[in-house]
Amino acid sequence: QAPPARWSLVCTSIPLKSIEVELEVRDHVATVVSTLLYENKEDKPIEAVFVFPLPGDAAVCHFSAVIGQTQIVAEVKEKQQAREEYDDAVSSGQQAFLLEESDQSPDIFSLSVGSLPPGESASIRLEYVTELAVQADDGLRFCLPAVLNPRYQPQGRKTSHVQVTSVPASLVPYSLSFSARVSSPRPISKVESSTSLDPLQYLNAEKTQATVKLAAGHKFDRDVELLIYYTDAHQPTAVVEAGQASAKPGTLMGDPVVMVSLYPEFPQSVMSSVASCGEFIFLLDRSGSMSCPLNNSNHQETRIASARDTLLLLLKSLSMGCYFNIYSFGSSYEHIFPKSVEYSETTMEEALKKVEQMTADLGGTEILEPLKHIYSQPCIPNQPRQLFVFTDGEVGNTKEILQLVTRNSGSHRCFSFGIGEGASTALINGLAKEGGGHAQFISGADRMQPKVMQSLRFSLQPAVVDISVMWDLPKGVSATVLSPPITAIFQGQRSLVYAQLTGQSSEAAEGSVCLLFSLLYRLSVHRLAARSLIRSLELEQKEDEEEVDEGLRKKVVELSVQSGVSSAYTAFIAVNKSNKETIQGPLVRRNVPAPKTLYTDISYVIFYLTFFSLCSDSSSKEDEAVVPEQPPRDPLLQLVSLQKASGCWLLDAALAAALGKTSEEVEKPKPASVNQEVWATILALIWLHGFKTDAKEEWELLAMKAVSWIHAQNGNTMITNVDLFLSACAGENQLLGK
């Protein structure tokens, strides 16, 4: 069915026609060059405003425009000054361009193209650098965000200067071309993506350089994710980048900067031990947008349903003696227990009953208040606090949230999970970084459960304390660390350290850097270091946005202007002063839409009625819940749901049904001398090892708890070595197969 005429009219007036993206990856640093082509096909001059997402940790370092034969390179200036220059230029008929970062969230940018005459086109070039995050399977993740869902603004908070205009992802009116070039000191083993790619092309025999492109026909209606795999990826590296020749020595841009990538390996004897204590607090988003499908490949499974299943696995994997609580939030928040309770069969069952009833029915996305309540609760002695946050990240007060987490970073570790397309990278990465934890994104065809269970294993690792970085540099050379102190180290995860090198030495001089801890080119590096320092300074700003620390603002502005990297207090401004003719006629504003996800997959007629009504509603109405029809439960989750808090299973009809057998088939082979619960637990473990090896990440911890429970049972001599028994039976299907 064809879209209504109203949308056709809007679509033809969108001035943004295409986006071309060139990605260059060097080891684990990405440089992204985006070219946006604007064309005015109307009979009057226009101002095009495009609000779009970027990675939250990106350092925007170049902004320029080409109109006809004239190129205009923007300068970084204090934000209010840049806005005034832009307004003055546009009002006087000059062409001008303004790029600014959102005051509230560093992953939202606004690009204004002013006074584009009828029939004229403009090419905008935007460049940024960013670090690539390491995934659970050692892949480096690059994400080009496309989806920008409307961000919920809490009641009583001031509205952000940047307003989001969005359309359903399937109706984005501009095209995307994307190509990537990858180079590394180590061979490139493969490149994968959630979208279709042309085959990887190697550029040399050593396979250290390669190119890849998006397959033809791709529409920029979802995030573009690349996973890059290197051989021997977990090796420490150091990159030294010379300073800018035109910059003054002694400044950040004038001195060399080193980026050290550290991959500490813990002794196997330490890693084999798993902590059995801790206070585990799970914070679940129940805003209306959590009723959206989890990904494009499965429209039946919703975000909230996947989160419920994940909580089941988490609760079953906890150990007796630890403490836990579950919070959920939307416009308001709830908690299952008044304060964290000791983990037992009674408390686990009570929590699971309430989790099963959770739906996406709490309105908007207000995460600040539940966080305040959690932090107001006193920590439990000898029970390290671990906070797990599940959200689709559609919040408008990101900086205020991160400031709160930073102030409480000494009392807990925070593990964050961004669910679905459009999750705020600034929020998800920021929660983990400021909370000393680890961030994960669930998008495309990803499943939530294995990623969350990996983070649970991180939280159970032994505490790493007394972290320090020691520099052994040539005489006359010193290092000033620019990045925040390392507060968390996990097995197999990368830690980045940026440092400014001052002083002089001979060309042949060498130095080294050592990470100590205890167990209880394109000036990309300079700009990433500046971005790291800027973000640290911005989070020092007082919570009350009206009380701006002028000394802090001045320091950020100076650093931003010097390095050419965007910040919350600056903007890129470019004015075409070469064109002496003023542009005549009233200026018409045109908002360029970014894609957003749909709440339901319904007919065109219902969708358009809903879409255009939502355009005039408040942000809280956009988050109203749609209760989905629940699909049948997965057999693995069915079996897991029957496990007791102690780790055992009961020999009953429910277990037999979960194993796909009758009660007689599971009870008859049991030797008379074997306890029923021991027998039931052994059968459950055999089923897991024999039929669900592909999901071992999800059930491994709860299986370890079951094995420990069996070992603790006295008087059952049938199995003297449970581990050996399971190893022999895994995959053989002798008891439960044909």
Side-chain angles (χ1 to χ4, degrees):
Q1 182 175 351
R6 178 178 175 181
W7 171 248
S8 299
L9 177 62
V10 174
C11 184
T12 57
S13 65
I14 298 299
L16 179 59
K17 297 304 176 185
S18 65
I19 301 176
E20 179 183 349
V21 176
E22 296 177 342
L23 168 67
E24 182 175 1
V25 176
R26 294 190 174 187
D27 204 3
H28 50 254
V29 173
T31 301
V32 184
V33 178
S34 298
T35 304
L36 296 84
L37 179 62
Y38 288 83
E39 185 177 357
N40 182 9
K41 291 188 175 181
E42 300 185 53
D43 58 0
K44 57 183 81 67
I46 63 171
E47 177 190 27
V49 180
F50 184 27
V51 180
F52 57 95
L54 284 182
D57 54 359
V60 179
C61 52
H62 177 86
F63 175 50
S64 62
V66 175
I67 300 179
Q69 301 299 315
T70 304
Q71 181 182 26
I72 313 155
V73 178
E75 301 175 74
V76 179
K77 296 186 178 182
E78 191 278 327
K79 183 176 285 187
Q80 189 56 39
Q81 179 185 351
R83 288 175 180 171
E84 291 174 358
E85 288 189 20
Y86 174 82
D87 291 340
D88 290 344
V90 170
S91 61
S92 63
Q94 286 182 294
Q95 294 169 327
F97 308 88
L98 181 69
L99 178 69
E100 56 182 312
E101 178 184 309
S102 166
D103 296 333
Q104 296 296 323
S105 186
D107 61 347
I108 299 179
F109 280 74
S110 174
L111 170 59
S112 299
V113 178
S115 295
L116 191 60
E120 187 68 83
S121 62
S123 177
I124 309 297
R125 180 185 172 97
L126 173 68
E127 182 176 333
Y128 65 87
V129 292
T130 186
E131 304 160 359
L132 301 185
V134 181
Q135 301 302 288
D137 59 356
D138 295 344
L140 294 177
R141 179 181 185 265
F142 168 79
C143 182
L144 179 68
V147 175
L148 180 55
N149 295 318
R151 301 288 174 89
Y152 177 82
Q153 194 68 27
Q155 296 294 327
R157 308 283 180 180
K158 72 174 185 178
T159 304
S160 171
H161 177 78
V162 175
Q163 298 298 312
V164 178
T165 300
S166 55
V167 297
S170 61
L171 300 176
V172 174
Y174 40 86
S175 61
L176 169 74
S177 62
F178 178 92
S179 62
R181 182 187 178 99
V182 183
S183 59
S184 170
R186 299 174 294 278
I188 304 159
S189 58
K190 61 180 177 178
V191 176
E192 296 178 345
S193 178
S194 56
T195 54
S196 297
L197 297 175
D198 288 341
L200 185 68
Q201 301 290 325
Y202 288 106
L203 303 180
N204 58 5
E206 295 79 15
K207 296 186 176 181
T208 58
Q209 297 183 21
T211 60
V212 68
K213 294 181 179 180
L214 277 182
H218 175 80
K219 200 171 184 183
F220 201 20
D221 57 356
R222 59 190 182 277
D223 296 349
V224 176
E225 181 185 67
L226 287 187
L227 294 174
I228 302 167
Y229 296 85
Y230 299 138
T231 304
D232 298 325
H234 291 285
Q235 296 294 324
T237 59
V239 177
V240 180
E241 186 177 75
Q244 197 170 21
S246 59
K248 182 180 177 181
T251 64
L252 171 61
M253 301 306 290
D255 285 340
V257 167
V258 59
M259 178 177 67
V260 181
S261 175
L262 302 167
Y263 288 91
E265 292 290 332
F266 298 162
Q268 184 58 39
S269 58
V270 174
M271 293 310 301
S272 61
S273 63
V274 176
S276 59
C277 62
E279 180 192 12
F280 299 88
I281 300 178
F282 307 109
L283 180 56
L284 175 63
D285 189 342
R286 286 174 57 190
S287 62
S289 53
M290 287 289 287
S291 64
C292 292
L294 180 63
N295 55 55
N296 294 324
S297 62
N298 184 359
H299 289 278
Q300 288 187 326
E301 185 179 25
T302 62
R303 298 173 184 177
I304 190 69
S306 182
R308 284 196 302 264
D309 291 342
T310 302
L311 281 175
L312 168 66
L313 287 170
L314 284 168
L315 288 175
K316 295 291 183 176
S317 300
L318 297 182
S319 299
M320 301 291 282
C322 72
Y323 287 75
F324 79 102
N325 203 353
I326 300 175
Y327 285 71
S328 57
F329 68 93
S331 301
S332 59
Y333 70 90
E334 302 173 357
H335 43 75
I336 292 181
F337 305 106
K339 61 180 181 179
S340 294
V341 296
E342 187 171 356
Y343 181 74
S344 67
E345 183 66 29
T346 301
T347 55
M348 183 195 74
E349 289 296 336
E350 182 179 350
L352 284 175
K353 288 178 181 178
K354 293 184 178 179
V355 167
E356 283 295 321
Q357 299 170 359
M358 289 182 176
T359 58
D361 58 354
L362 291 185
T365 311
E366 172 53 276
I367 193 174
L368 191 64
E369 294 307 315
L371 281 175
K372 287 181 178 178
H373 189 273
I374 291 170
Y375 293 142
S376 71
Q377 303 295 310
C379 292
I380 302 171
N382 301 317
Q383 301 285 349
R385 178 172 286 176
Q386 316 278 3
L387 176 61
F388 289 71
V389 181
F390 303 86
T391 178
D392 57 17
E394 298 176 9
V395 303
N397 58 336
T398 301
K399 287 188 177 179
E400 196 173 2
I401 294 168
L402 298 184
Q403 287 166 347
L404 178 65
V405 175
T406 303
R407 289 198 299 273
N408 293 276
S409 59
S411 66
H412 75 303
R413 286 195 292 186
C414 182
F415 299 86
S416 54
F417 306 90
I419 306 172
E421 302 281 354
S424 169
T425 57
L427 177 70
I428 305 305
N429 287 327
L431 285 171
K433 183 177 181 180
E434 302 306 323
H438 186 252
Q440 303 262 27
F441 289 88
I442 298 97
S443 61
D446 291 340
R447 294 181 67 250
M448 187 184 304
Q449 288 81 9
K451 292 194 173 187
V452 174
M453 297 310 293
Q454 183 209 22
S455 291
L456 178 61
R457 281 190 289 272
F458 283 159
S459 73
L460 296 174
Q461 287 182 11
V464 178
V465 296
D466 300 330
I467 303 172
S468 61
V469 178
M470 304 296 293
W471 300 86
D472 182 11
L473 301 175
K475 185 177 180 179
V477 178
S478 60
T480 302
V481 177
L482 304 175
S483 45
I486 300 175
T487 59
I489 300 178
F490 300 108
Q491 172 73 16
Q493 290 298 305
R494 183 190 65 209
S495 299
L496 287 179
V497 178
Y498 297 100
Q500 179 179 345
L501 302 178
T502 56
Q504 298 289 331
S505 66
S506 65
E507 292 185 4
E510 294 183 354
S512 64
V513 58
C514 179
L515 176 69
L516 303 177
F517 56 84
S518 302
L519 285 169
L520 302 154
Y521 178 84
R522 288 185 177 176
L523 296 175
S524 301
V525 174
H526 278 74
R527 284 159 177 155
L528 287 173
R531 181 65 162 176
S532 177
L533 186 54
I534 285 170
R535 286 290 170 251
S536 298
L537 292 171
E538 287 175 345
L539 289 175
E540 294 178 15
Q541 173 61 45
K542 297 176 183 178
E543 182 176 343
D544 186 348
E545 294 292 339
E546 300 299 327
E547 298 181 11
V548 178
D549 186 326
E550 288 302 325
L552 181 65
R553 177 195 285 270
K554 183 178 179 182
K555 189 183 299 184
V556 171
V557 170
E558 288 178 353
L559 181 58
S560 177
V561 171
Q562 179 198 136
S563 62
V565 172
S566 64
S567 75
Y569 303 138
T570 56
F572 283 88
I573 174 66
V575 177
N576 186 2
K577 298 179 181 178
S578 63
N579 188 358
K580 304 303 181 182
E581 297 183 6
T582 60
I583 298 170
Q584 304 297 319
L587 191 64
V588 180
R589 182 186 176 103
R590 291 286 183 258
N591 290 328
V592 179
K596 69 173 180 179
T597 55
L598 293 179
Y599 289 174
T600 51
D601 188 13
I602 55 179
S603 69
Y604 263 112
V605 174
I606 298 177
F607 163 70
Y608 279 107
L609 289 174
T610 305
F611 172 67
F612 284 117
S613 65
L614 287 177
C615 288
S616 60
D617 289 348
S618 66
S619 58
S620 61
K621 286 186 178 180
E622 281 203 41
D623 260 341
E624 288 179 356
V626 178
V627 180
E629 182 180 344
Q630 298 301 321
R633 177 163 246 177
D634 179 86
L636 170 61
L637 297 175
Q638 183 62 32
L639 179 66
V640 169
S641 68
L642 300 174
Q643 187 185 30
K644 298 300 180 180
S646 61
C648 72
W649 274 265
L650 299 182
L651 190 64
D652 55 18
L655 175 65
L659 299 176
K661 299 293 179 180
T662 65
S663 295
E664 183 181 6
E665 286 175 318
V666 297
E667 293 175 8
K668 188 175 181 179
K670 184 185 77 66
S673 61
V674 177
N675 177 282
Q676 285 195 346
E677 292 179 1
V678 171
W679 180 252
T681 304
I682 291 172
L683 293 181
L685 289 171
I686 292 172
W687 188 89
L688 290 172
H689 281 270
F691 294 101
K692 288 295 178 181
T693 53
D694 59 334
K696 188 175 181 179
E697 283 186 326
E698 301 176 36
W699 53 260
E700 187 173 27
L701 288 175
L702 62 89
M704 289 171 59
K705 184 167 69 169
V707 171
S708 297
W709 178 86
I710 294 176
H711 279 300
Q713 306 309 302
N714 295 322
N716 290 284
T717 58
M718 176 189 174
I719 301 172
T720 58
N721 191 326
V722 177
D723 300 314
L724 182 61
F725 174 80
L726 291 173
S727 177
C729 289
E732 296 298 329
N733 306 338
Q734 292 176 351
L735 283 174
L736 299 177
K738 294 182 180 179

